[in-house]
Amino acid sequence: MKYVLVTGGVVSGLGKGVTASSIGLLLQACGLRVTSIKIDPYLNTDAGTMSPFEHGEVFVLDDGGEVDLDLGNYERFLDLTLTRDNNITTGKIYQSVIDKERKGDYLGKTVQVVPHITDAIQEWIERVAMVPVDGKEGPADVCVIELGGTIGDIESMPFIEALGQFSYRVGRENFCLIHVSLVPVLNVVGEQKTKPTQHSVRVLRGQGLTPNILACRSTKPLEENVKAKLAQFCHVPAENIVTLYDVPNIWHIPLLLRDQKAHEAILKGFNLLGVAREPNLKEWTTRTEISANLHDPVRIAMVGKYTGLSDAYLSVLKALLHASVSCRRKLVVDWVAAGDLEDVTAEEAPEAYKAAWDLLKGADGVLVPGGFGDRGVQGKILAAKYARENKVPYLGICLGMQIAVIEYARSVLGMADANSTEFDSETTSPCVIFMPEGSKTHMGGTMRLGSRRTYFKVNDCKSAKLYGNVASVDERHRHRYEVNPDMISQLENAGLSFVGRDETGRRMEIVELPTHPYFVGVQFHPEFKSRPGKPSALFLGLISAACRQPNTIPQNNGHLPKPVANGTSNGHVTVKPHQNGHAFKPSNGSLNGVYSNCNGVRF
């Protein structure tokens, strides 16, 4: 097994996750099998209880693991199906060591960070690296490991020590360290400054790790004299120093690395130059060029609670982008704070109220994503009502589906107090109720999580056609509340159609309004399984309907046919990257091919 470790220095948010994903994709293109591990040094056991405002979205895996959003990048770039063990946290490591100590596994020894914690980290890495995640038998050839945070963080120190020991244990020919560091350009002098990277590498070397490759983040390619200076002071060959400069979207990063021969530096260190082939990124290149050259827009109103931090909906944004590129349209996301659509805002902040409704009414499609809590719920209900009554394509995910059902019960069935018991435990018309699988007292890992099967009960429906007329689909879940099965007959008699259900028939998974061009709600999260070349079927349905392309039906269970390079014109994007985000900010103001009225997307 070969190991590639990606670390970061100087500041956080440089894009280690995208770099690790791109390295993995490049090695895959060379014919190698790749797996991936993300190390998060925080004490939480997993990301499940973290606020999206602080940490971005919680990415959910097939096995129900609630993990860091970078694992979503790995799955999308590498088309892998990872497990919860592919995300290592300080909490998991310490818990496993304490559990062993309680059972007496250490035979009375004093349990310490070194060697017990560091040994546990190394054993975890070796064990998980051997688990195949690409659908094939046997272990992968290369494991790409990303260490979260920045070098020098106190919480990272046990991992740095463990990885230093690990590099010695597996041997230099089986270990490659890529250090992602910032080379800033001061506007006053316009010169690329190397001192931050020099200091970062010095700290790294002082902790027992020596970088083999430097990946330097900068606004433009490194000048040759800057490379020479870094090579001299960081003890890294000049040919092993690559620049991750500003590009139109993150799909360009694997191409940047390929063009700068990053794969050759890695393969040379692994003694695999004679084994691996030249990287084949033809399909990836074609898709990247199409994305960069689209000009006909499709506007999607994203009505949510966390519109100030688009990282909270990162996978939804990616799924929208995948579907938009498939439909050859440039995605424009209009962020609508759900609370701004409510009557109380009309009184307190009429300008924000008008702006929100203008965005909603100007959209080609409406999407209400998942969420928790009652803030903004009334605004989401109003958005669903507007989309339903005005025949605007609508996709509701998790809470977005529940919102659509509540709105229908209020407006069509006349149940004025229809609600979810999550928001009103005393409602006399409980359309959405707490289902018995979860826990009301413990937060972490107690929801209905992971991949579950949905069976189509109505074959002649939009969702079944979008999925390729299959009998069932497996999608990932993350929720506590579900549509009340005792109210289904009333709702269906009034015109709603619950076309997808679980194996018991009691859990509602997909709802449609047959008389509407595209009004779909799903209890699961289809965004988690969307891939650049295999867009989610339901997102593709939304974008197709928003583009007035109702005949665009994906084949192969929602997988997109290979793209054709027919993009035209020049699509510039006006979204600004989040200040502390993992963004590769393009010099022309564009970011990942997505227009936006909000303050950015972290990648």
Side-chain angles (χ1 to χ4, degrees):
M1 175 68 69
K2 309 290 185 181
Y3 298 90
V4 176
L5 173 64
V6 178
T7 61
V10 185
V11 294
S12 61
L14 290 177
K16 295 187 302 298
V18 173
T19 303
S21 302
S22 300
I23 289 293
L25 178 66
L26 192 55
L27 294 176
Q28 275 187 340
C30 292
L32 301 175
R33 291 176 60 199
V34 176
T35 185
S36 191
I37 294 174
K38 171 68 188 295
I39 297 174
D40 285 303
Y42 48 68
L43 277 170
N44 304 62
T45 301
D46 58 35
T49 59
M50 292 184 178
S51 165
F53 277 121
E54 180 177 331
H55 199 69
E57 75 170 5
V58 176
F59 191 80
V60 179
L61 302 170
D62 266 6
D63 66 359
E66 297 173 285
V67 297
D68 183 84
L69 54 79
D70 279 322
L71 273 80
N73 274 327
Y74 304 157
E75 286 207 341
R76 284 186 288 268
F77 269 60
L78 305 176
D79 196 16
L80 304 176
T81 302
L82 300 174
T83 72
R84 68 180 74 232
D85 286 347
N86 289 87
N87 192 195
I88 303 175
T89 68
T90 298
K92 286 181 180 179
I93 294 295
Y94 273 76
Q95 189 173 58
S96 68
V97 170
I98 291 171
D99 287 345
K100 285 184 177 181
E101 184 272 330
R102 291 289 83 188
K103 290 189 294 185
D105 288 359
Y106 296 116
L107 300 175
K109 291 183 181 295
T110 302
V111 181
Q112 298 173 293
V113 173
V114 181
H116 300 100
I117 295 295
T118 52
D119 283 351
I121 293 167
Q122 295 176 68
E123 290 164 5
W124 192 301
I125 291 172
E126 280 195 312
R127 173 175 58 83
V128 174
M130 301 300 290
V131 177
V133 291
D134 56 1
K136 301 176 183 177
E137 293 184 0
D141 302 307
V142 181
C143 179
V144 179
I145 306 166
E146 178 195 347
L147 176 61
T150 56
I151 296 302
D153 294 346
I154 291 176
E155 58 188 6
S156 298
M157 287 183 176
F159 292 100
I160 293 291
E161 175 63 29
L163 289 163
Q165 296 177 17
F166 189 69
S167 66
Y168 177 76
R169 200 169 93 191
V170 301
R172 185 174 298 179
E173 70 281 1
N174 295 317
F175 190 88
C176 176
L177 172 55
I178 300 174
H179 189 57
V180 182
S181 184
L182 179 66
V183 178
V185 178
L186 301 183
N187 289 333
V188 179
V189 294
E191 179 186 359
Q192 293 176 327
K193 310 301 287 186
T194 64
K195 272 292 189 291
T197 297
Q198 290 182 45
H199 283 295
S200 177
V201 171
R202 187 174 297 118
V203 172
L204 188 64
R205 290 167 61 88
Q207 294 182 353
L209 287 169
T210 301
N212 304 97
I213 297 173
L214 284 181
C216 299
R217 282 287 292 115
S218 191
T219 55
K220 58 184 180 181
L222 290 186
E223 298 166 7
E224 288 304 315
N225 66 312
V226 174
K227 271 192 178 184
K229 194 172 183 181
L230 285 171
Q232 180 181 359
F233 289 104
C234 297
H235 303 177
V236 175
E239 61 270 20
N240 285 14
I241 300 175
V242 298
T243 318
L244 302 177
Y245 54 84
D246 293 348
V247 290
N249 64 61
I250 61 170
W251 290 354
H252 287 265
I253 301 304
L255 308 180
L256 272 187
L257 292 167
R258 177 201 61 189
D259 294 343
Q260 296 176 74
K261 308 294 184 184
H263 59 289
E264 291 187 4
I266 297 170
L267 296 172
K268 183 179 179 181
F270 287 159
N271 294 322
L272 292 176
L273 275 177
V275 177
R277 63 175 185 236
E278 280 297 305
N280 178 9
L281 288 170
K282 185 177 180 180
E283 185 177 336
W284 188 272
T285 302
T286 300
R287 189 181 302 114
T288 302
E289 290 172 351
I290 290 174
S291 175
N293 291 306
L294 295 173
H295 68 101
D296 291 332
V298 56
R299 306 188 73 93
I300 301 297
M302 181 92 81
V303 184
K305 174 179 173 182
Y306 305 111
T307 55
L309 178 62
S310 48
D311 260 9
Y313 306 113
L314 185 59
S315 289
V316 175
L317 285 169
K318 299 291 189 180
L320 285 171
L321 179 64
H322 301 162
S324 300
V325 173
S326 169
C327 293
R328 307 301 187 260
R329 293 297 181 96
K330 181 175 59 182
L331 177 63
V332 182
V333 176
D334 288 326
W335 295 92
V336 181
D340 289 350
L341 296 170
E342 298 174 1
D343 292 341
V344 65
T345 305
E347 299 175 5
E348 298 175 355
E351 290 183 1
Y353 178 82
K354 181 181 183 301
W357 275 102
D358 285 347
L359 286 174
L360 185 66
K361 292 178 179 179
D364 300 310
V366 176
L367 192 152
V368 178
F372 299 92
D374 60 357
R375 184 161 60 87
V377 163
Q378 184 57 34
K380 295 176 184 179
I381 289 173
L382 290 170
K385 182 177 183 178
Y386 170 80
R388 180 180 61 81
E389 293 181 342
N390 292 276
K391 305 295 185 182
V392 177
Y394 174 90
L395 177 61
I397 298 172
C398 198
L399 178 60
M401 169 186 170
Q402 298 168 10
I403 289 294
V405 173
I406 293 169
E407 187 279 322
Y408 201 82
R410 290 182 182 181
S411 301
V412 179
L413 290 176
M415 298 178 178
D417 71 333
N419 215 330
S420 167
T421 56
E422 180 182 5
F423 312 132
D424 180 6
S425 59
E426 304 300 323
T427 177
T428 59
S429 304
C431 292
V432 179
I433 61 173
F434 181 83
M435 294 296 268
E437 194 164 334
S439 168
K440 289 185 177 180
T441 56
H442 287 71
M443 299 295 289
T446 58
M447 290 182 277
R448 190 166 190 248
L449 290 164
S451 182
R452 306 299 174 98
R453 183 154 293 180
T454 295
Y455 295 88
F456 287 104
K457 300 300 181 182
V458 179
N459 293 326
D460 187 24
C461 66
K462 294 181 179 68
S463 301
K465 292 176 181 176
L466 285 165
Y467 276 106
N469 294 313
V470 294
S472 63
V473 292
D474 295 325
E475 293 281 10
R476 299 176 184 177
H477 294 66
R478 185 175 187 255
H479 63 271
R480 287 190 176 88
Y481 291 80
E482 301 183 32
V483 177
N484 186 349
D486 295 334
M487 293 187 67
I488 298 307
S489 59
Q490 285 177 271
L491 291 163
E492 290 202 316
N493 289 337
L496 276 184
S497 180
F498 291 88
V499 301
R501 308 186 184 191
D502 77 336
E503 66 278 2
T504 69
R506 295 276 296 170
R507 283 192 157 101
M508 303 303 118
E509 296 284 4
I510 307 175
V511 64
E512 292 186 8
L513 188 58
T515 57
H516 194 284
Y518 191 84
F519 194 89
V520 177
V522 292
Q523 186 60 71
F524 48 78
H525 290 265
E527 69 270 22
F528 290 141
K529 294 180 75 170
S530 183
R531 304 286 184 263
K534 303 173 186 176
S536 165
L538 297 175
F539 279 85
L540 195 55
L542 174 68
I543 297 297
S544 298
C547 296
R548 306 299 186 264
Q549 299 174 0
N551 295 323
T552 304
I553 303 296
Q555 303 299 318
N556 303 322
N557 197 21
H559 293 178
L560 174 70
K562 290 185 179 180
V564 180
N566 66 347
T568 57
S569 188
N570 181 9
H572 293 330
V573 185
T574 57
V575 60
K576 290 189 287 185
H578 212 63
Q579 212 168 17
N580 63 349
H582 290 182
F584 287 92
K585 184 174 75 71
S587 55
N588 65 5
S590 62
L591 185 60
N592 199 39
V594 182
Y595 277 70
S596 172
N597 68 316
C598 189
N599 61 346
V601 184
R602 191 179 82 180
F603 298 96

